[in-house]
Amino acid sequence: MNLPIKRYDLPQIMFGVLFIALMTIASIWIVQPFILGFVWAGMVVIATWPLMIKLQRLLWGRRFLAVIIMTLLLILLFVLPIAMLVSSAIENGAPLVEIASHPSSLHMPDFHWLNSIPLVGHKLYTGWHALINGGGNALVTKVQPYVGQTAAWFVTQAGHLGRFIVHCSLMLLFSALLYSRGEQVALGIRHFAIRLAAERGDAAVILAGQAIRAVALGVVVTAIVQSILGGIGLAIAGIPYATVLTVVMFVCCVAQIGPLLILIPAIIWLYWSGDNTWGTVLLIWSCVVGSLDNVLRPVLIRMGADLPMLLILSGVIGGLFAFGMIGLFIGPVVLAVSYRLISLWVHEAPEPEMDPEEALKALDE
């Protein structure tokens, strides 16, 4: 019995694949301005979903009330700090503009202690005195070639800040939508993953959610708590530019550098200016804030998944360069999810039957 030969229409297959590829590229091109905001919102919603469910139970099962409260909390955590940072930058930028416009108004202290530095002390003191005698004009003359580059850098950063505000607004909008339809979205993603890789795809989605929660809870929440407490200490101690320093402290905490990089110079400045009381208070407060992550981070990370700190640091720095300020949140999550998926795939392989020495001997033979 002759079976019919199944013929493939090659042009039909090629044009079908080409059409699907073109539609996919066109769709990505259209939604490209919203991708970062949506990804950020997805991370926030996944990390805070248990809290939203608890709020819903407390609010008599009303989902819309829980969504409103969660959105207000996100505004409190993201929008208000950004507004404070911009306001502080504008307020603190006025004195710098005044100094640049009128160098003679620049009053610089006479550091006699420079003479006590071995070998180079006299040269440093002489150079500093030359700047003082110039009334600030000599200093402005020296930095004049760099003014253009600095201005261009600030314009670039202002553009990044504007994009960050746009993405933050999109994040709030998408977060409210995901909070209201979270179950349906999660079910759709799991169905898509099962379609791609059956049960392994579903397990990968669940594992990715655990990694996102681990980064959000263990890294971002710890950084927020440390930077807020450190900023309160700076403001109470009377450190100038406390708002800007708090934002820098948050970046350092997310990058796993810690808040002491900002707090220690502030303590030294207080002691140097003769304010020993507030210097001691800030020193004690800094010891508490600096050691808080050793207690808080392990507890929070254990709620999600344990991740190497080097991985988080690489994600923070790489994400900052790749996506700007929003990369502080996206970078660690992307690397964490990739790490967990690759680790799961590697550990599914069977254990080696030979020890390393036997394997080397086999290679030599």
Side-chain angles (χ1 to χ4, degrees):
M1 181 177 180
N2 295 328
L3 296 176
I5 299 175
K6 187 175 182 180
R7 298 182 181 275
Y8 293 96
D9 190 346
L10 185 58
Q12 180 185 14
I13 296 174
M14 291 179 58
F15 282 112
V17 172
L18 180 61
F19 176 76
I20 293 173
L22 289 176
M23 292 298 293
T24 303
I25 294 172
S27 299
I28 294 176
W29 193 7
I30 292 171
V31 302
Q32 187 264 339
F34 310 101
I35 290 177
L36 288 180
F38 185 79
V39 171
W40 192 7
M43 296 173 186
V44 171
V45 171
I46 291 173
T48 58
W49 185 259
L51 177 60
M52 200 278 297
I53 295 299
K54 291 181 180 178
L55 280 175
Q56 181 178 343
R57 292 172 183 169
L58 293 175
L59 296 172
W60 310 283
R62 302 294 179 88
R63 172 63 62 90
F64 73 94
L65 292 177
V67 171
I68 292 174
I69 292 179
M70 292 300 300
T71 305
L72 292 177
L73 288 176
L74 293 181
I75 293 174
L76 183 64
L77 288 176
F78 292 102
V79 177
L80 290 184
I82 294 172
M84 292 173 61
L85 174 61
V86 173
S87 175
S88 178
I90 295 174
E91 179 182 352
N92 297 324
L96 297 178
V97 173
E98 177 66 22
I99 291 174
S101 303
H102 304 87
S104 58
S105 63
L106 181 64
H107 300 287
M108 294 179 287
D110 189 0
F111 292 142
H112 293 285
W113 56 271
L114 290 174
N115 271 321
S116 61
I117 300 177
L119 301 178
V120 297
H122 180 69
K123 187 175 181 179
L124 291 175
Y125 183 73
T126 303
W128 184 254
H129 243 287
L131 293 177
I132 294 177
N133 294 333
N137 291 297
L139 179 62
V140 173
T141 303
K142 288 181 179 296
V143 302
Q144 190 69 32
Y146 307 100
V147 171
Q149 300 176 8
T150 305
W153 184 85
F154 273 108
V155 169
T156 303
Q157 297 307 309
H160 289 325
L161 182 60
R163 287 200 300 270
F164 180 75
I165 293 174
V166 171
H167 289 311
C168 189
S169 302
L170 292 174
M171 182 271 294
L172 292 173
L173 175 62
F174 288 136
S175 296
L177 296 175
L178 290 175
Y179 279 134
S180 60
R181 300 291 180 182
E183 293 86 356
Q184 293 87 335
V185 175
L187 189 60
I189 293 174
R190 293 183 66 181
H191 281 167
F192 182 75
I194 292 172
R195 184 67 175 170
L196 287 178
E199 294 180 356
R200 291 169 60 92
D202 191 24
V205 170
I206 296 174
L207 191 63
Q210 292 178 350
I212 291 173
R213 192 163 297 161
V215 173
L217 292 177
V219 178
V220 178
V221 173
T222 304
I224 290 175
V225 172
Q226 281 189 294
S227 58
I228 289 176
L229 293 179
I232 291 174
L234 293 175
I236 293 177
I239 301 295
Y241 314 122
T243 305
V244 177
L245 292 176
T246 302
V247 175
V248 176
M249 195 186 312
F250 171 75
V251 175
C252 292
C253 291
V254 173
Q256 306 303 299
I257 299 174
L260 296 181
L261 187 66
I262 306 299
L263 294 174
I264 290 177
I267 296 170
I268 296 174
W269 183 82
L270 285 173
Y271 279 117
W272 189 264
S273 60
D275 198 347
N276 297 331
T277 302
W278 283 113
T280 304
V281 171
L282 187 60
L283 175 62
I284 298 173
W285 186 247
S286 299
C287 293
V288 176
V289 175
S291 59
L292 184 63
D293 59 334
N294 297 324
V295 179
L296 186 59
R297 186 188 294 121
V299 174
L300 294 175
I301 285 183
R302 203 172 293 119
M303 297 179 182
D306 197 8
L307 299 168
M309 288 304 160
L310 180 61
L311 182 80
I312 304 301
L313 176 61
S314 303
V316 168
I317 298 175
L320 186 62
F321 281 108
F323 304 110
M325 295 178 67
I326 192 176
L328 293 172
F329 306 94
I330 294 180
V333 170
V334 171
L335 287 188
V337 171
S338 302
Y339 169 79
R340 295 299 295 174
L341 295 179
I342 293 175
S343 176
L344 178 64
W345 176 72
V346 169
H347 284 85
E348 286 182 350
E351 294 292 333
E353 297 180 357
M354 294 185 296
D355 59 21
E357 293 182 359
E358 294 178 352
L360 290 175
K361 290 180 181 179
L363 287 176
D364 293 336
E365 295 175 357

